[in-house]
Amino acid sequence: MSIECRNFGSSEGTDVHEYTLDNAKGIQVHILDYGCIITQLHLPGRQGSADVVLGFDNLKGYLKNTGYIGAVVGRYGNRIADGRYILNGNRYQLDQNDGLNHLHGGFSGFDRQHYQSEAYREADTLCVRLHRVSPHLEGGYPGNLDVTIIYRLDRNSLTFEAHATTDMATPVNIVQHSYFNLAGHGSGSIGNHRLQINSDSRTETDERLIPTGQIVPVAGTPYDFRDFDTMANRHKALSEAGIAGGFDCNYVLNSPMSEQNPAAILHDPASGRTMKIITNQPGLQLYDSSSLAPQHGKGGQSYTPGAGLCLETQNFPDAINHDHFPEAILPAEKQYKATTSYLFSVD
């Protein structure tokens, strides 16, 4: 097992470091202290190891990136309608960086920030801790939010933890936004990937991808991933139903969950790689990168729509504006903790 740190460039006069955690069991993850970005994730497969997340070879690629590739997003991941909400009688206006919507924390969200960082070992687990304070009214959010992100790599899993406290009530929904392609990041479309999501319903959205407030069943619709199916088959079902575009929707997760009953399972038949997801969050956003802008990624690979998919564990989009959605406000002096584990195997 090993931990390494190297300089990955600089931004706004601040050095950016890349930590490499290697568990000596074939899993290796690379993490930046800018944006808490996962730049590489190497997993064993039937034909050897492959890097299974989209990314860039240098810091410039991430600074230009508009797809949140590999980053942690916040304060509130996903969309808030018109960037507006009312809290304790006060009306707040957030950045409108997605048309009229607020998306992933605004113009300078968590993905655009530097973090204090350290790497360390806990028994047989390798860790990176990243910390910053998001100041009052950053992106329009009230309160000073003290944030700690921890990545933990053990024998067969990578765990993402987000911890936060605030001195003033504020919306919080901290989300990891990696794009996965279990065949390898430059291998093309994820159409042959098989996906299962432990969810009987989803939050219905309008044409702006803002929740209508209705929670609708997935049974009998193209959104039904309760049983394993390929992404290609589900895209075909969308097309046959006259639904344009791809998947960018929030699933209401069933609970309780465990390794035997995870939130989601992603499998690549060609490599034999499987990833299970376990989380304490109520929702999971499936985004199939159907609107990803074509771009050059690591190793000269071309990323086009469908090159990877995101499985973002989260609170519901726009929950602050829907009383019957899970609570979106972190009160002053209370603890926020979001945990997601990615468990890897090969068949």
Side-chain angles (χ1 to χ4, degrees):
M1 302 178 72
S2 65
I3 299 173
E4 296 181 359
C5 179
R6 73 179 183 102
N7 186 280
F8 199 74
S10 65
S11 170
E12 300 177 339
T14 301
D15 288 339
V16 174
H17 304 95
E18 182 183 54
Y19 292 91
T20 300
L21 309 182
D22 191 327
N23 72 354
K25 301 291 185 181
I27 302 177
Q28 185 184 96
V29 61
H30 298 230
I31 298 159
L32 297 186
D33 58 9
Y34 175 86
C36 305
I37 293 167
I38 296 176
T39 60
Q40 300 179 43
L41 175 59
H42 296 264
L43 300 179
R46 292 197 202 106
Q47 290 79 43
S49 179
D51 181 3
V52 301
V53 293
L54 274 57
F56 303 98
D57 288 321
N58 52 53
L59 184 61
K60 183 179 178 180
Y62 290 103
L63 296 177
K64 293 172 58 179
N65 169 36
T66 58
Y68 307 94
I69 290 177
V72 166
V73 297
R75 285 187 195 186
Y76 201 92
N78 220 303
R79 294 171 176 84
I80 295 176
D82 300 316
R84 298 174 185 168
Y85 69 93
I86 296 174
L87 176 60
N88 296 330
N90 297 311
R91 182 181 295 273
Y92 291 93
Q93 179 64 61
L94 306 175
D95 291 345
Q96 292 173 289
N97 61 317
D98 178 47
L100 295 176
N101 301 329
H102 177 83
L103 176 65
H104 292 333
F107 295 111
S108 297
F110 287 6
D111 62 302
R112 298 292 179 183
Q113 305 296 335
H114 294 272
Y115 293 76
Q116 296 176 319
S117 60
E118 63 171 339
Y120 56 97
R121 181 169 175 170
E122 293 179 344
D124 292 331
T125 300
L126 305 176
C127 309
V128 174
R129 179 188 289 116
L130 306 117
H131 174 262
R132 73 179 292 264
V133 176
S134 173
H136 177 56
L137 295 182
E138 181 176 65
Y141 291 95
N144 297 293
L145 188 74
D146 190 294
V147 178
T148 299
I149 305 296
I150 302 175
Y151 289 102
R152 303 180 188 274
L153 177 66
D154 65 14
R155 183 178 61 84
N156 67 345
S157 68
L158 176 65
T159 296
F160 164 77
E161 294 180 9
H163 304 257
T165 58
T166 179
D167 58 7
M168 185 177 179
T170 189
V172 180
N173 181 34
I174 302 173
V175 179
Q176 218 296 322
H177 203 286
S178 286
Y179 292 68
F180 296 96
N181 187 324
L182 295 185
H185 73 93
S187 61
S189 169
I190 43 82
N192 288 332
H193 279 48
R194 300 172 67 240
L195 177 64
Q196 183 179 41
I197 301 177
N198 189 0
S199 170
D200 299 321
S201 57
R202 65 182 180 91
T203 49
E204 181 185 64
T205 56
D206 63 17
E207 66 280 356
R208 291 194 295 155
L209 298 179
I210 293 295
T212 64
Q214 298 296 314
I215 295 176
V216 297
V218 298
T221 77
Y223 299 95
D224 190 352
F225 281 95
R226 292 175 299 167
D227 295 321
F228 267 116
D229 203 355
T230 66
M231 294 302 298
N233 282 346
R234 291 293 87 197
H235 281 123
K236 180 181 178 182
L238 282 179
S239 178
E240 290 174 346
I243 301 172
F247 291 94
D248 194 358
C249 58
N250 173 64
Y251 285 84
V252 178
L253 293 174
N254 298 330
S255 60
M257 64 185 69
S258 64
E259 184 172 351
Q260 291 70 40
N261 189 40
I265 307 174
L266 183 66
H267 176 69
D268 172 46
S271 68
R273 296 185 185 96
T274 295
M275 180 176 73
K276 294 182 179 181
I277 297 177
I278 301 171
T279 185
N280 69 346
Q281 296 300 285
L284 182 145
Q285 187 86 6
L286 168 61
Y287 172 52
D288 60 4
S289 70
S290 54
S291 59
L292 182 69
Q295 54 201 283
H296 294 292
K298 291 177 288 189
Q301 297 292 337
S302 294
Y303 298 153
T304 55
L309 60 81
C310 301
L311 296 165
E312 306 160 52
T313 54
Q314 61 177 12
N315 197 347
F316 297 176
D318 202 34
I320 183 62
N321 292 313
H322 299 275
D323 291 341
H324 59 294
F325 282 8
E327 180 58 60
I329 298 298
L330 177 66
E333 311 306 333
K334 296 295 184 180
Q335 296 278 343
Y336 171 91
K337 182 179 180 180
T339 302
T340 298
S341 292
Y342 308 91
L343 285 71
F344 309 113
S345 61
V346 182
D347 63 25

